[in-house]
């Protein structure tokens, strides 16, 4: 995977930034982000060296902690308009050649080695040294220059016109196939911009904004794309927003209203896109011929929501991801329900006061190419809904974030792949609540992270992000071969400085908090073995689930069937070899044994009907695998009992299509690597409510 960075600033000719690994190294951190320093220590400043070329231009090379060289070219006085070509030599060295020196290099009047920044630094000819560059004993012959260096150079002149016919300023991204770089070209609204470039093939993208003078929220954004652009002579291009066509997308539901809309292209070593959450804001894109010289992907994404049904039936929404490999199509999209997967969601909410602004996010990761998306809708909770998801070339992780919880239907880098026409079900924030532990070895900390979630929901595979800490107190200990490694009061169990080798392990936690459910949780996990290749230790957790109502209540006066399921940290579900269960209706004052049936490799039980007046059920349970991994846990007030309380206020959900704009909730894109693509950036940014144009970089930027 090539290094990726998002560019949020305009780069001027006086500060052209290049990003490249010393040898095109891949991003190897677990989540695709650059690896940082261990613990909370402050990062040391990046090493910086400079070398002045014989043209007087100063090249600054900064070596970051991520192993990436960042090269800034500072033109000499009077040379602000000069472009710079950056190329890799066969041995991995970086050459920075001013455009006005290319002809001299190509004809042998200047030796290309005079511009080999890597070699100059290695040989001690940087600005901090006193050594002077000696004459080269064996100057290169003209024919020794690379094809790219020997190529003719031409003028490329650019101007931009918005949809009102007015000149406008834009930033053009120009992928240079010959040099393996991306040029940032700032085009002003005052006069055309001319750059001097070698002959060859280029990939051009830009975005053009046309404002609406009557309403700053309205207007349009146009994505302009010119792939496989051949420069074999002086060329003048007018980038006209009128060349782009309006993006139109329809679904089977006539009442579904768009929330987020985005269109983006993953082009040569860069990407660009446009998006909005405003209903009346217009998006345009330019259709292209088929691109064959390099990978090219266009994607349209959108979230839509129907109005809430008056009859109380489940609300409906859409999460669309439409990929087109190799070209930008005519931007008219018709999407049919039969081509989508249906995902039913039941959102539980314990409080008697509904939460009208629960946020439902769908994070997508492209399965065939290095792209993805992040979409969102505002939904009321408690409630039921059905959302239709695209299935082609995409896998999904869904998150729900409300006042009571922040929950994901998977964890780590796991995603769900759906099939068109199939139905899937999700329970959110569902009781009985209980503890989950996923201890893993963190190599950068040289420690084991306990990974405890004391109040996890009952759905298997779900991950709880963040804790309700009002009045919360915690104590967690880890033992190795019978010796306590450490004890802490971290609400997530903290970390323990110990090697994850083969041993007998025991993890214990005791947590109390204010609130309605899971006011006291005690658990003990034990296992034997070492961490696997992913750093996970072989602990198991126990989840107990049952058919509670939307307010997490089991029916009063009736028996309550439950399932007891074991779960490894990697998501696998081992069969229980033994299991016990007890219930208390007086907050643990007295306990009643509940028989557990282990037939068919599953553990099931029927909790007896509660006595009259009981409001809560507490659960004490244990389970063990055939390999000896075991768990014991006690949860005071695991679930509620009785008929749903009358809400103190009716839900007042946001109008369909209203952007998610809660600044207290984190916005996380697809987490399966740093190369998640331009539409992840657009999706994450659009949850704030906006009309945006974004740019993405891979590899070297000139």
């Amino acid at each position: 995977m090539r290094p990726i960075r998002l560019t949020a600033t305009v780069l001027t000719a006086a500060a052209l930034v290049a990003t490249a690994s010393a040898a095109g190294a891949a991003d190897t951190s677990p989540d695709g982000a650059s690896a940082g320093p261990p613990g909370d220590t402050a990062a040391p400043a990046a090493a910086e060296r400079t070398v002045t070329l014989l043209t007087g231009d100063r090249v600054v090379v900064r070596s970051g902690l991520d192993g990436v060289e960042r090269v800034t070219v500072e033109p000499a006085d009077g040379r602000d308009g000069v472009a710079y070509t950056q190329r890799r030599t066969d041995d991995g060295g970086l050459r920075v050649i001013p455009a006005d020196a290319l002809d001299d290099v190509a004809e042998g009047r200047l030796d290309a080695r005079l511009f080999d920044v890597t070699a100059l630094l290695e040989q001690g000819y940087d600005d901090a040294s006193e050594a002077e560059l000696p004459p080269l004993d064996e100057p290169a012959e003209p024919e020794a220059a690379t094809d790219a260096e020997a190529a003719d150079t031409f003028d490329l002149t650019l101007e931009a016109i918005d949809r009102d016919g007015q000149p406008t300023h834009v930033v053009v991204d120009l992928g240079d196939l010959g040099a393996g770089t991306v040029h940032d070209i700032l085009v002003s609204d005052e006069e055309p911009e001319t750059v001097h470039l070698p002959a060859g093939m280029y990939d051009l993208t830009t975005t053009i904004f046309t404002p609406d003078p009557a309403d700053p929220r309205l207007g349009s954004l146009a994505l302009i794309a010119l792939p496989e652009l051949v420069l074999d002579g002086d060329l003048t291009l007018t980038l006209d927003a009128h060349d782009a066509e309006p993006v139109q997308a329809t679904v089977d539901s006539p009442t579904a209203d768009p929330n987020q809309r985005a269109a983006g292209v993953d082009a040569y070593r860069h990407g660009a896109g446009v998006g909005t959450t405003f209903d009346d804001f217009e998006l345009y894109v330019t259709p292209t011929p088929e691109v064959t010289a390099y990978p090219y992907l266009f994607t349209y994404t959108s979230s839509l929501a129907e109005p809430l049904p008056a009859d109380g039936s489940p609300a409906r929404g859409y999460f669309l991801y439409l990929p087109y490999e190799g070209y930008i199509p005519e931007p008219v999209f018709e999407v049919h329900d039969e081509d989508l997967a249906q995902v039913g969601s039941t959102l539980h909410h314990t409080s008697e006061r509904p939460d009208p602004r629960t946020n439902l996010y769908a994070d997508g990761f492209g399965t065939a190419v290095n792209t993805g998306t992040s979409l969102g809708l505002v939904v009321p909770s408690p409630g039921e809904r059905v959302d239709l998801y695209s299935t082609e070339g995409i896998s999904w992780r869904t998150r729900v974030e409300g006042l009571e919880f922040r929950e994901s239907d998977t964890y780590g880098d796991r995603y769900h792949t759906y099939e068109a026409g199939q139905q899937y079900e999700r329970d959110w924030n569902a009781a009985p609540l209980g503890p989950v532990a996923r201890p893993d070895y963190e190599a950068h900390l040289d420690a084991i992270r306990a990974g405890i979630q004391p109040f996890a929901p009952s759905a298997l595979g779900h991950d709880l992000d963040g804790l309700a800490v009002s009045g919360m107190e915690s104590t967690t200990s880890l033992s190795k071969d019978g010796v306590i490694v450490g004890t802490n009061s971290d609400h997530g169990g903290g970390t323990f400085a110990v090697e994850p080798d083969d041993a007998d392990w025991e993890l214990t936690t005791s947590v109390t908090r204010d609130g309605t459910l899971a006011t006291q949780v005690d658990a003990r996990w034990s296992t034997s073995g070492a961490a696997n290749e992913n750093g996970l230790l072989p602990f198991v957790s126990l989840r107990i689930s049952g058919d509670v109502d939307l307010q997490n209540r089991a029916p009063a006066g009736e028996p309550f069937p439950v399932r007891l399921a074991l779960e490894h940290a990697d998501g696998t579900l081992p069969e229980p070899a033994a299991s016990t269960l007890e219930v208390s209706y007086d907050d643990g004052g007295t306990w009643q044994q509940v028989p557990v049936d282990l037939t068919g490799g599953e553990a099931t039980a029927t909790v007896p009907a509660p006595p009259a007046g009981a409001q809560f059920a507490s659960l004490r349970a244990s389970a063990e695998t055939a390999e000896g991994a075991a768990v014991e846990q006690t949860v005071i007030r695991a679930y509620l009992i009785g008929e749903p309380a009358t809400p103190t206020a009716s839900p007042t959900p946001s109008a369909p299509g209203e952007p998610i704009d809660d600044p207290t909730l984190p916005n996380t894109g697809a987490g399966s690597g740093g190369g998640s693509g331009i539409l992840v950036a657009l999706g994450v940014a659009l949850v704030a409510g906006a009309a945006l144009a974004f740019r993405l970089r891979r590899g070297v930027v000139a």
Side-chain angles (χ1 to χ4, degrees):
M1 186 181 299
R2 291 171 292 184
I4 290 178
R5 67 181 177 88
L6 291 176
T7 300
T9 58
V10 175
L11 302 181
T12 68
L16 303 174
V17 178
T19 304
S21 65
D27 182 354
T28 57
S29 60
D31 60 357
S34 299
D40 297 326
T41 57
E48 177 178 306
R49 302 178 70 188
T50 63
V51 61
T52 300
L53 305 177
L54 62 89
T55 56
D57 305 310
R58 187 169 178 262
V59 181
V60 182
V61 181
R62 296 177 178 87
S63 299
L65 294 171
D66 52 6
V68 173
E69 291 179 353
R70 289 171 174 83
V71 181
T72 303
V73 183
E74 299 176 356
D77 291 344
R79 293 173 54 77
D80 288 344
V82 177
Y84 299 87
T85 300
Q86 304 188 34
R87 297 188 174 92
R88 287 286 172 188
T89 61
D90 291 340
D91 60 0
L94 176 66
R95 289 180 179 175
V96 179
I97 306 177
D100 56 3
L102 285 171
D103 290 343
D104 290 330
V105 170
E107 297 173 10
R109 291 189 295 271
L110 285 176
D111 197 300
R113 289 175 290 175
L114 294 169
F115 302 94
D116 192 327
V117 174
T118 302
L120 293 174
L121 291 174
E122 289 177 349
Q123 297 169 21
Y125 296 114
D126 57 320
D127 293 344
S129 304
E130 297 181 358
E132 296 183 1
L133 187 65
L136 295 173
D137 294 333
E138 299 179 1
E141 296 296 331
E143 60 270 20
T146 65
D147 291 341
E149 289 167 348
D152 294 330
T153 58
F154 300 103
D155 287 340
L156 175 63
T157 301
L158 301 170
E159 62 179 349
I161 304 295
D162 68 17
R163 294 193 64 81
D164 290 335
Q166 299 299 313
T168 187
H169 60 274
V170 298
V171 177
V172 172
D173 298 319
L174 193 66
D176 185 338
L177 274 71
T181 64
V182 180
H183 303 277
D184 289 310
I185 304 171
L186 178 61
V187 179
S188 76
D189 56 0
E190 297 179 354
E191 60 181 1
E193 180 72 16
T194 299
V195 292
H196 199 55
L197 296 167
M201 180 178 288
Y202 294 85
D203 181 284
L204 183 151
T205 62
T206 192
T207 57
I208 299 176
F209 171 61
T210 303
D212 184 331
D215 189 339
R217 296 176 303 171
L218 303 182
S220 69
L221 275 168
L223 171 61
I224 308 297
L226 297 174
E228 296 183 342
L229 177 67
V230 176
L231 184 65
D232 54 8
D234 292 343
L235 179 64
T236 298
L237 292 175
T238 298
L239 308 174
D240 193 337
H242 290 96
D243 294 335
E245 299 183 9
V247 178
Q248 304 175 53
T250 60
V251 294
D252 286 347
S253 170
T255 60
D257 189 38
N259 179 6
Q260 294 166 247
R261 294 174 288 138
V265 62
D266 190 11
Y268 180 76
R269 288 186 176 264
H270 72 285
V274 294
T276 185
T277 58
F278 298 140
D279 288 350
D280 297 324
F281 196 93
E282 297 177 338
L283 300 180
Y284 296 83
V285 300
T286 52
T288 70
E290 183 179 4
V291 179
T292 60
Y294 45 88
Y296 200 80
L297 177 80
F298 171 82
T299 311
Y300 175 76
T301 65
S302 179
S303 61
L304 304 92
E306 294 180 349
L308 289 179
D311 60 3
S313 59
R316 282 170 36 107
Y318 290 83
F319 294 111
L320 303 183
Y321 174 90
L322 309 178
Y324 294 82
E325 291 194 55
Y327 70 109
I328 299 179
E330 296 292 329
V332 178
F333 310 108
E334 294 183 4
V335 182
H336 300 289
D337 291 359
E338 64 184 16
D339 298 323
L340 306 174
Q342 292 189 24
V343 180
S345 292
T346 301
L347 289 83
H348 300 267
H349 187 74
T350 303
S351 171
E352 294 183 1
R353 183 177 182 84
D355 178 5
R357 288 192 57 80
T358 300
N359 299 322
L360 189 149
Y361 299 95
D363 302 328
F365 181 72
T367 55
V369 290
N370 196 24
T371 57
T373 186
S374 184
L375 301 166
L377 293 172
V378 179
V379 299
S381 178
E384 295 178 305
R385 62 180 296 104
V386 175
D387 294 295
L388 290 90
Y389 286 69
S390 291
T391 61
E392 180 183 350
I394 191 76
S395 54
W396 296 95
R397 173 183 62 193
T398 304
R399 296 176 290 123
V400 174
E401 299 183 354
L403 295 176
E404 290 188 354
F405 65 101
R406 298 177 183 178
E407 182 180 344
S408 169
D409 67 353
T410 183
Y411 51 88
D413 290 340
R414 293 174 170 270
Y415 290 82
H416 297 289
T417 300
Y418 298 137
E419 295 184 14
Q422 299 299 307
Q423 297 183 4
Y424 306 84
E425 297 296 330
R426 297 284 183 267
D427 271 308
W428 300 96
N429 194 35
L433 304 186
V436 167
R438 297 193 182 103
D440 69 315
Y441 176 70
E442 302 282 351
H444 68 286
L445 298 176
D446 193 20
I448 291 175
R449 181 179 61 89
I452 294 176
Q453 300 173 5
F455 322 117
S458 62
L460 288 167
H462 280 218
D463 190 33
L464 196 64
D465 178 18
L467 300 171
V469 297
S470 175
M472 186 172 174
E473 295 183 359
S474 307
T475 301
T476 300
S477 297
L478 178 68
S479 297
K480 179 180 181 181
D481 289 332
V483 178
I484 295 179
V485 175
T487 300
N488 65 66
S489 58
D490 188 287
H491 296 328
T495 58
F496 301 89
V498 61
E499 292 297 319
D501 48 5
D502 192 0
D504 294 329
W505 301 93
E506 181 176 286
L507 179 67
T508 63
T509 193
S510 181
V511 184
T512 60
R513 68 166 178 174
D514 299 335
T516 304
L517 293 182
T519 55
Q520 180 176 339
V521 176
D522 296 284
R524 182 179 73 87
W525 298 270
S526 60
T527 191
S528 298
N532 65 14
E533 64 275 10
N534 296 318
L536 298 171
L537 284 131
F539 286 93
V540 293
S541 295
L542 175 63
R543 301 223 199 207
I544 304 174
S545 58
D547 189 16
V548 294
D549 66 14
L550 289 177
Q551 290 183 299
N552 280 327
R553 297 173 184 268
E558 298 180 18
F560 182 52
V562 296
R563 178 192 179 197
L564 297 84
L566 289 174
E567 179 182 49
H568 279 300
D570 62 2
T572 57
L573 306 175
E575 291 186 6
S579 184
T580 66
L581 179 65
E582 297 174 83
V583 64
S584 172
Y585 296 111
D586 56 3
D587 290 349
T590 57
W591 293 92
Q592 181 179 351
Q593 191 76 29
V594 180
V596 177
D597 183 1
L598 296 176
T599 303
E602 290 188 345
T604 59
T606 300
V607 178
Q615 293 182 300
F616 301 95
S618 302
L619 298 178
R620 186 161 65 187
S622 69
E624 184 175 355
T625 68
E627 293 75 23
V631 55
E632 301 173 3
Q633 63 190 50
T634 301
V635 180
I636 303 301
R637 300 190 175 186
Y639 59 91
L640 287 153
I641 296 171
E643 297 301 323
T646 302
T648 57
S650 299
T652 54
S654 305
E658 180 176 338
I660 298 172
D661 58 4
D662 187 343
T664 66
L665 297 180
N667 299 321
T668 305
S672 185
S676 296
I678 188 68
L679 292 176
V680 171
L682 277 167
V684 172
L686 286 175
V687 296
L692 297 172
F694 262 69
R695 301 156 61 217
L696 177 98
R697 291 291 176 278
R698 291 191 179 87
V700 182
V701 180

